[in-house]
Amino acid sequence: METRFQTGTVVSAIGHVGVVLWVLVGDWLFAPAPPDEVIVTSVSMITSEEFAALQSGATPTPAEEPAPVRPQARPEEVVEPEPEPLPEPEPEPEPEPLPEPEPEPVPVVEPPPSEAVQAEEEQAIQSESTEIQPAPEAEDIIAPDPVQPETEAETSEIPEPAVSEDPAVEEIIEQEPTEATVPEDTGDVTQTEANQDQTAETGMTTSLRPRAKPSRPAPQPDPEPEPEPRAAAELNVQPVDDSATQDAIDALLGEAADEPVEEPVAQGGQNRPQGPPLTGGEMGDISSAIARRWNLGAASTDVLSTMVVIRVSFDEAGRPVDFQLIESNGPTQSAIDNLYSIARRAVNRTHSEGGIPLPPGKFDTWRVLDLVFDANGMRVR
Amino acid sequence: MIRPMRQIFQTLLVLALGLGALMSAPVLAQSSPPRIVIGQGVIEPMPIAIPTFIDEGGAGDYAREITRVVISDLEGTGFFRNIGEEAHISRITSFDGGVAFEDWKAINAQVLVTGAVSVSGDRITVKFRAYDVFNGTTLEGAALQFAGTTQGWRRMSHKVADVIYSKITGEGGYFDSRVVFVSESGPKNQRLKRLAVMDYDGANVAYLTDSNSIVLAPRFSPTGDRILYTSYESGFPRITLMDVGSLRRQTLDEQPGTMTFAPRFSPDGGTVVFSLERGGNTDIYSLSLSSGRLSQLTNAPSIETAPSFSPDGSKIVFESDRTGSPQIYIMPASGGEGTRISGGKGRYGTPVWSPRGDYIAFTKQNEGRFHIGVMRTDGTEERLLTASFLDEGPTWAPNGRVLMFTRETSGGGGQASLWSVDITGRNLKQIPTDGPASDPAWSPLLP
């Protein structure tokens, strides 16, 4: 911090000195230099007739000897062997006049929408207006009696918000997942018998996005970075049998646990990164790691026209600890809220599935990051 | 002598200023946190886990069946992929018990739904919670309880799925809705048609008419309690209004020498717009259901048909062949010439305004193929969602996200069936029906 402060002072001093010097000696220093000496060459004017004569090489003007122009090296002439004279082709019999070919069908260019009459096409569109056909004579088929439709009011499913939204959350038990329990996320769009042929038929069933890489099989949890208070850590490595001491340790542990973990950096000056800047490659790694988990497959069409910028605070272990929506742009507040939720999920998921590639040694730089999630590019067209 | 000295000073000053600028640049640039643009995300079904709902007393098979319908609803959208129970690490044994998020993260479940069912007599209670696993929270508003009769268990399942869907996607659900359609039987040249209704997913089919006369183009009222359709009962097409609860029918606007067809309700349900053919000319009319007043909305020698109101009731989109081929026009609800909005190649028909008001769905025929497509209400952003021998007659889901339509196969044995597709063009699928079916019309969400 001190060094940085000195750097600022030096920078400021240099700037001030520069300005003072500029004021004092600027005029002298930056006075326009005297123009270089001009080499004067005398020329003479000629008339257009004289110029034409020059061009034709008739009468060189005596006033000025034109410098001889060095002729460009001419390529050597290649003497090609003279082709043997071909026998004079016999005159072909004059072809009989062919019948005038019929004009080939030219695709008719559809005119822009206008009130101009358009050519009738062969097939009529099946619209309600064309569906009116004379009723076919029905066979004597005894139709079943109409069935009473299900009455709609049989249930009174009035949602009762009687269910508490926050049940107790179980204590988190880290469990090493096995391969058998981890379904492979192929990123495939649901295939049904109905849409199997659609790609060939319409080419529209598949997502317009490149297929996502399969998610990593469950996490190999990085040592879940629970920022442990130093006091607790130190006490843990010195077990003591004495029960009284143990009580004291427990008390200390309790106190330490109650201590607030370092608050996520709030807005304002504290958000300014203090470390060396992230390189383009590092930022690219972070971007692509999160992008792989940024799933918009269950997003509304409004979300696909929305952008949010979220400010994420990380602890030293790289765990996202705080999110703030700092900027947004979208058609509806619901879409913004939805994209904010999806973005947070993407960041949390990236952390859970192997971690966000935050470069070690630059915690002061990435302890707060602004992440831009712009779904506009994802719009399906 | 002065000149070289001055040049040295000049150089030194420029160097000093440059150095200062270089040193201060990072400091200035780092005045706010680094900003990282997250690249292209992915569009793939969201993995969700829905363990079988807990039986909290007397639920028996209901718990399993309700869970199955909820999963079917959500997976059927193409937005979600259910992670089978065999992959679950945790078991949900108590509805109010804790949730080990780490176990669900480990199988990449992004959303977890837990639920419980209890039955007492013919009363059934279904409660559920949905969790955002990676954010470690309950989805706001996704912890509810429904109660009703056991006969309504399927509707309750749809309601549970609707809530989960809307909380995750941010748009309304559409599972607790019904579809009226024309059930077909018999050979192609002698089709017998009758009206039927079903759940949106093809379950619970019930027939509304017999097959003594041809019926076409049914439409639900905005409240879902009435149906308009075109009937040939009199030998000519006539618009008929049916009360769904009592099955009572009433023919509208019986004018001799005319044919009426292509009816549709106004958003407030008080007016019907339709086509009326008189003396070989077809125009669009509106009829007030309360006063019986008939108004002519178009007056042209061409065929104007297939009217559909905008959700706010101020405009009507319709089809007209006034330029020689059928195209789509929009006019004020009070009538008028209309402005053409379709501009691509081919013929356009059966336009339907989205319940959200943002798109118009249509049928398009071009180069021998039929398409279902959508365009903005000014005709821009036209997108064709399907292509086949014959696709026609789109109808919107209540949330304006999904379209259902008729697809007919070619040949003498060709049959009509019902299909649905997301407006992104994804998730095209056939709706299961007992036999051939056509002319679907989606109801609003049920109350």
Side-chain angles (χ1 to χ4, degrees):
Chain A
M1 189 66 190
E2 202 174 27
T3 310
R4 185 153 300 282
F5 179 73
Q6 287 172 354
T7 307
T9 308
V10 170
V11 170
S12 174
I14 290 171
H16 280 84
V17 169
V19 171
V20 170
L21 281 176
W22 188 290
V23 170
L24 291 178
V25 293
D27 286 346
W28 174 66
L29 279 174
F30 295 99
D36 292 333
E37 282 183 27
V38 178
I39 300 165
V40 180
T41 307
S42 61
V43 294
S44 61
M45 305 293 289
I46 60 172
T47 63
S48 55
E49 288 78 14
E50 288 168 333
F51 180 73
L54 273 174
Q55 292 287 77
S56 62
T59 319
T61 45
E64 190 176 5
E65 281 289 326
V69 178
R70 179 173 286 188
Q72 282 189 337
R74 291 174 62 183
E76 279 185 0
E77 278 187 14
V78 179
V79 181
E80 289 187 11
E82 273 196 14
E84 287 181 16
L86 290 172
E88 191 78 15
E90 287 183 11
E92 281 184 16
E94 205 157 289
E96 288 182 14
L98 290 171
E100 189 78 14
E102 287 188 8
E104 288 204 359
V106 179
V108 179
V109 179
E110 186 80 0
S114 69
E115 296 302 308
V117 176
Q118 298 193 359
E120 195 67 27
E121 292 183 22
E122 284 179 7
Q123 288 175 284
I125 195 163
Q126 298 290 311
S127 64
E128 286 164 343
S129 60
T130 59
E131 282 170 357
I132 298 168
Q133 305 287 346
E137 288 179 17
E139 289 176 8
D140 286 339
I141 295 174
I142 300 169
D145 290 336
V147 178
Q148 186 78 10
E150 248 188 26
T151 52
E152 302 298 330
E154 282 176 349
T155 61
S156 58
E157 301 85 350
I158 300 160
E160 300 171 21
V163 182
S164 157
E165 288 190 5
D166 296 313
V169 174
E170 269 184 18
E171 210 172 301
I172 295 169
I173 303 163
E174 294 287 345
Q175 188 163 351
E176 196 71 37
T178 61
E179 278 191 23
T181 61
V182 182
E184 190 178 342
D185 186 358
T186 63
D188 284 343
V189 174
T190 307
Q191 284 277 338
T192 65
E193 195 175 327
N195 67 9
Q196 270 176 355
D197 62 334
Q198 199 194 13
T199 303
E201 185 90 358
T202 69
M204 286 180 237
T205 36
T206 52
S207 163
L208 299 184
R209 307 250 63 78
R211 177 168 295 189
K213 292 179 183 174
S215 306
R216 287 187 197 180
Q220 34 340 30
D222 280 357
E224 267 296 304
E226 205 59 64
E228 286 190 350
R230 184 183 295 176
E234 284 176 1
L235 290 170
N236 272 335
V237 295
Q238 295 175 1
V240 183
D241 289 333
D242 180 60
S243 61
T245 312
Q246 188 61 49
D247 290 345
I249 292 170
D250 290 344
L252 280 172
L253 280 172
E255 282 176 23
D258 288 344
E259 277 179 17
V261 182
E262 188 180 358
E263 279 295 314
V265 187
Q267 286 198 15
Q270 289 183 39
N271 280 334
R272 295 180 181 178
Q274 307 292 316
L278 297 174
T279 65
E282 288 164 345
M283 291 204 283
D285 288 347
I286 295 168
S287 170
S288 57
I290 297 173
R292 284 199 295 276
R293 278 89 175 181
W294 179 26
N295 184 4
L296 289 157
S300 68
T301 48
D302 283 346
V303 167
L304 298 182
S305 309
T306 302
M307 182 276 296
V308 296
V309 182
I310 63 173
R311 179 160 291 171
V312 187
S313 301
F314 296 90
D315 64 14
E316 282 190 72
R319 176 204 295 269
V321 292
D322 185 54
F323 294 89
Q324 292 172 27
L325 178 64
I326 61 169
E327 210 178 309
S328 63
N329 182 17
T332 62
Q333 187 57 44
S334 165
I336 291 169
D337 293 343
N338 203 229
L339 184 57
Y340 178 39
S341 175
I342 292 170
R344 279 184 297 149
R345 191 179 300 136
V347 174
N348 282 326
R349 195 178 152 207
T350 309
H351 169 69
S352 294
E353 297 179 358
I356 301 167
L358 300 165
K362 292 187 178 178
F363 171 60
D364 282 342
T365 306
W366 52 251
R367 63 186 306 160
V368 181
L369 294 176
D370 287 350
L371 304 179
V372 181
F373 291 83
D374 188 351
N376 280 285
M378 308 280 293
R379 193 179 299 171
V380 180
R381 295 192 184 281
Chain B
M1 183 64 188
I2 290 177
R3 186 183 169 104
M5 205 175 137
R6 196 163 61 175
Q7 280 180 341
I8 289 168
F9 265 115
Q10 201 173 351
T11 309
L12 283 175
L13 182 57
V14 169
L15 280 174
L17 288 173
L19 187 64
L22 277 175
M23 292 177 69
S24 62
V27 176
L28 294 173
Q30 292 181 10
S31 60
S32 60
R35 177 169 283 222
I36 299 176
V37 176
I38 306 304
Q40 293 276 297
V42 294
I43 292 186
E44 60 187 19
M46 173 189 278
I48 56 173
I50 309 180
T52 302
F53 287 7
I54 296 161
D55 179 354
E56 286 194 333
D61 286 344
Y62 284 117
R64 194 173 56 253
E65 285 301 298
I66 287 171
T67 311
R68 185 184 59 77
V69 172
V70 171
I71 292 172
S72 170
D73 283 349
L74 294 175
E75 279 201 313
T77 62
F79 292 178
F80 305 97
R81 177 174 58 81
N82 182 50
I83 299 171
E85 291 202 53
E86 65 281 2
H88 295 182
I89 297 170
S90 278
R91 299 288 164 198
I92 302 295
T93 52
S94 161
F95 181 68
D96 289 318
V99 171
F101 285 121
E102 293 304 316
D103 288 352
W104 301 102
K105 284 181 189 175
I107 60 170
N108 193 27
Q110 294 178 28
V111 169
L112 166 69
V113 178
T114 64
V117 182
S118 60
V119 173
S120 175
D122 69 342
R123 300 294 296 173
I124 186 169
T125 302
V126 182
K127 52 187 179 181
F128 72 98
R129 280 195 196 92
Y131 301 90
D132 186 329
V133 172
F134 283 91
N135 288 345
T137 58
T138 305
L139 287 176
E140 193 181 341
L144 290 175
Q145 175 173 307
F146 296 102
T149 63
T150 50
Q151 289 174 326
W153 70 269
R154 224 169 175 283
R155 280 199 59 194
M156 274 189 260
S157 312
H158 289 321
K159 283 188 175 297
V160 170
D162 273 332
V163 173
I164 296 166
Y165 174 91
S166 63
K167 294 303 173 190
I168 295 175
T169 65
E171 59 193 4
Y174 60 92
F175 308 123
D176 187 26
S177 61
R178 309 203 83 189
V179 172
V180 60
F181 64 102
V182 174
S183 173
E184 301 185 2
S185 58
K188 201 169 186 177
N189 58 350
Q190 281 187 318
R191 282 276 159 82
L192 300 174
K193 301 187 174 190
R194 53 182 174 161
L195 287 188
V197 292
M198 63 181 184
D199 289 359
Y200 93 100
D201 56 1
N204 285 338
V205 176
Y207 296 97
L208 305 179
T209 63
D210 57 29
S211 52
N212 287 332
S213 61
I214 295 290
V215 287
L216 290 175
R219 307 283 181 241
F220 266 114
S221 68
T223 47
D225 57 349
R226 292 168 297 167
I227 291 172
L228 282 169
Y229 63 99
T230 304
S231 168
Y232 278 79
E233 200 168 356
S234 65
F236 294 97
R238 290 267 179 250
I239 294 173
T240 304
L241 177 66
M242 172 186 282
D243 181 85
V244 177
S246 64
L247 295 186
R248 275 202 311 269
R249 288 176 285 177
Q250 172 193 355
T251 303
L252 300 180
D253 192 54
E254 283 190 277
Q255 295 185 40
T258 65
M259 295 190 289
T260 54
F261 50 94
R264 205 176 284 269
F265 282 99
S266 62
D268 64 5
T271 303
V272 174
V273 285
F274 58 95
S275 289
L276 187 148
E277 190 269 352
R278 190 198 314 262
N281 184 33
T282 301
D283 277 307
I284 294 173
Y285 289 73
S286 71
L287 176 70
S288 166
L289 289 177
S290 54
S291 68
R293 184 166 157 267
L294 185 69
S295 306
Q296 184 171 357
L297 303 182
T298 64
N299 187 5
S302 47
I303 294 175
E304 275 70 39
T305 186
S308 169
F309 275 99
S310 61
D312 63 1
S314 66
K315 293 174 186 159
I316 292 173
V317 62
F318 64 100
E319 168 193 336
S320 169
D321 65 353
R322 64 184 66 169
T323 60
S325 71
Q327 298 292 334
I328 297 175
Y329 296 78
I330 289 179
M331 67 177 172
S334 54
E337 283 288 307
T339 306
R340 178 173 164 181
I341 62 165
S342 56
K345 289 181 179 177
R347 299 158 158 253
Y348 294 79
T350 63
V352 195
W353 216 303
S354 154
R356 294 203 307 211
D358 51 356
Y359 283 104
I360 288 169
F362 55 85
T363 303
K364 178 173 181 174
Q365 187 226 339
N366 188 37
E367 295 177 349
R369 305 277 284 171
F370 279 80
H371 309 270
I372 298 298
V374 292
M375 63 171 70
R376 292 284 181 187
T377 55
D378 59 0
T380 60
E381 295 184 32
E382 177 179 322
R383 282 204 307 268
L384 300 181
L385 310 177
T386 72
S388 85
F389 167 72
L390 177 54
D391 286 348
E392 65 170 342
T395 178
W396 288 98
N399 68 351
R401 177 69 196 236
V402 180
L403 288 162
M404 194 179 289
F405 59 96
T406 305
R407 170 167 286 185
E408 190 152 340
T409 49
S410 61
Q415 289 194 331
S417 53
L418 304 185
W419 292 66
S420 69
V421 66
D422 188 271
I423 61 166
T424 59
R426 297 192 295 158
N427 202 34
L428 176 72
K429 61 180 184 177
Q430 186 172 358
I431 308 299
T433 51
D434 284 342
S438 63
D439 281 1
W442 222 310
S443 80
L445 268 185
L446 299 178

